[in-house]
Amino acid sequence: MRILFATGNENKIVEAQEVLESLGHTVEGLVIDGQRPNFDEPKELGLEGVAESKIRQALDLIKGSELDGSAILVEDSGIFLDAFPEWPGAQSSDVEKEIGLEGIIDRVKESGNSGAEYRAVAILSNGNQVWKSQGICRGKISDYPRGSYGFGYDPIFIPEEGGGGTFGELGKEIKNQISHRKKVMQGLSNLLKSPSR
Ligand code: IMP
């Protein structure tokens, strides 16, 4: 399936391509009037609410255009710290800008609980049918940033299945096998193979 990913985050597009193209799909970033879409995000609604809002906005944007009827993908994701329920969650990018990775590490150290998980919710729709999936990657926060691969919280996130390295150190081969994004995109691909609802 040809999938148009409505996001302004180039890293997400690359990771979705690496996962979904190995499953037989093509992924391109949605561009409208030469620009990537920039959605309003009602973060108080959580990841699923934000993803639902993004797909509504994306389908509205392409209504009546030559892209009407295309398969549009949106995704909302974030990191959730065990010590602070639902935080930073849907506000992960804002919190990262406000206090930085060192600020996160300090909060985690103060709490004495380094458990964390990435979560992602993805929704795919062609305007008629809707497919929704979620992916979780369990892990913990490191004592200091390590490695430079990826984006966002990757230098401080140690996935359970990664042998102790952060995603920043493990690189794309490993991240694409075990990440929340891998799981959420794999889930969507599985749903696409099932009879439509
Ligand atoms: P969104 O664009 O509103 O979904 O925000 C996602 C934010 O969550 C990113 O800007 C990062 O702060 C964080 N995040 C989500 N997925 C990842 C990931 O795979 N690596 C690192 N940070 C992530």
Side-chain angles (χ1 to χ4, degrees):
M1 179 181 279
R2 177 185 180 227
I3 294 171
L4 301 180
F5 194 171
T7 178
N9 185 331
E10 191 65 34
N11 296 290
K12 287 187 181 182
I13 296 174
V14 171
E15 290 186 6
Q17 280 169 337
E18 285 162 354
V19 174
L20 285 169
E21 297 197 354
S22 71
L23 299 168
H25 306 283
T26 64
V27 179
E28 297 157 52
L30 175 67
V31 176
I32 297 171
D33 296 334
Q35 304 230 307
R36 298 252 190 251
N38 190 13
F39 299 121
D40 291 331
E41 297 191 19
K43 299 191 178 185
E44 67 284 1
L45 299 183
L47 297 185
E48 189 169 353
V50 172
E52 285 168 353
S53 172
K54 283 182 183 174
I55 194 72
R56 278 196 298 276
Q57 294 176 65
L59 293 174
D60 276 354
L61 274 178
I62 61 163
K63 204 173 214 146
S65 79
E66 60 187 4
L67 295 176
D68 207 346
S70 304
I72 304 294
L73 171 65
V74 297
E75 184 238 64
D76 205 65
S77 50
I79 197 161
F80 292 75
L81 303 176
D82 292 358
F84 309 98
E86 300 302 307
W87 188 84
Q91 302 180 58
S92 294
S93 59
D94 293 343
V95 169
E96 188 195 338
K97 281 180 207 135
E98 280 159 25
I99 66 172
L101 298 182
E102 295 291 352
I104 293 283
I105 289 171
D106 289 346
R107 304 275 163 101
V108 165
K109 282 185 181 160
E110 280 162 24
S111 77
N113 182 353
S114 64
E117 64 189 32
Y118 275 131
R119 295 182 205 158
V121 174
I123 303 179
L124 182 74
S125 177
N126 56 14
N128 289 319
Q129 293 160 288
V130 180
W131 296 269
K132 190 189 290 185
S133 167
Q134 36 189 323
I136 294 180
C137 180
R138 277 292 309 163
K140 63 180 183 177
I141 301 299
S142 61
D143 286 344
Y144 56 95
R146 291 192 260 129
S148 55
Y149 174 74
F151 65 101
Y153 294 79
D154 285 342
I156 62 166
F157 183 77
I158 302 174
E160 269 178 4
E161 300 164 81
T166 65
F167 269 151
E169 295 172 309
L170 293 170
K172 79 171 179 181
E173 301 296 334
I174 308 275
K175 187 176 180 192
N176 286 339
Q177 283 172 34
I178 62 177
S179 78
H180 52 312
R181 193 151 294 105
K182 152 77 181 188
K183 290 172 183 163
V184 81
M185 297 302 163
Q186 172 88 58
L188 274 185
S189 180
N190 294 347
L191 289 174
L192 289 171
K193 287 192 209 124
S194 314
S196 61
R197 290 163 299 137

